[in-house]
Amino acid sequence: MKIVAAIAPVLALAAALTAAPAFAADLTVAFPSAAPQGQIMVAVFNSEANYGGEGQPAQVAMLDAADGQTSITFDGLPDGDYAVRAFHDLNGDGKMNTNPFGMPVEPFAFSNNAVGNMGPASWERAKFAASGVTTQSIDLK
């Protein structure tokens, strides 16, 4: 009887965890206008703070555009708000090149094709809700 009483809370917790629905998003990010050269660097953020540089991206990927890879799917993301930052590393040096004034000289973009004003697009402009199958088609400029 003591064994059953000791195991009962564990069994109840296990039943609750298995009965809870698993909500997950499969986010596909596509760059249909990307040139077939270099790599596309993609970062997916799950909070405004992380998007603003106070933390790390939720997911990152590097697409080999030279081999024709212009989309990626991030599987199993928790449902929620996300934003994407990307740039096209045309020369393959692993960084976004800028001119002497700090302006990017390689194509870049944000989710929702959001644009910034004298800087990156804001979280509010770039964020989108992801649940189930979600797609972001982004034009690198």
Side-chain angles (χ1 to χ4, degrees):
M1 191 67 154
K2 289 183 182 181
I3 295 174
V4 172
I7 295 175
V10 174
L11 293 175
L13 177 60
L17 291 175
T18 58
F23 296 106
D26 293 334
L27 170 63
T28 298
V29 181
F31 303 93
S33 63
Q37 70 186 78
Q39 298 88 30
I40 302 169
M41 309 298 191
V42 184
V44 178
F45 296 89
N46 61 357
S47 74
E48 183 174 8
N50 290 354
Y51 181 80
E54 296 176 26
Q56 298 297 314
Q59 295 282 328
V60 295
M62 181 181 76
L63 308 178
D64 191 349
D67 277 347
Q69 186 182 16
T70 58
S71 68
I72 182 129
T73 300
F74 299 95
D75 295 321
L77 295 173
D79 287 353
D81 288 340
Y82 292 90
V84 174
R85 290 180 179 225
F87 76 94
H88 196 159
D89 182 17
L90 295 171
N91 63 5
D93 66 356
K95 59 184 178 179
M96 177 186 265
N97 299 122
T98 59
N99 67 18
F101 301 104
M103 301 296 293
V105 295
E106 293 181 299
F108 63 94
F110 305 93
S111 45
N112 296 332
N113 286 311
V115 295
N117 185 13
M118 299 302 289
S122 69
W123 168 261
E124 287 303 314
R125 288 184 177 185
K127 79 174 178 177
F128 59 93
S131 65
V133 175
T134 305
T135 301
Q136 277 284 315
S137 182
I138 302 172
D139 295 321
L140 292 159
K141 299 177 186 170

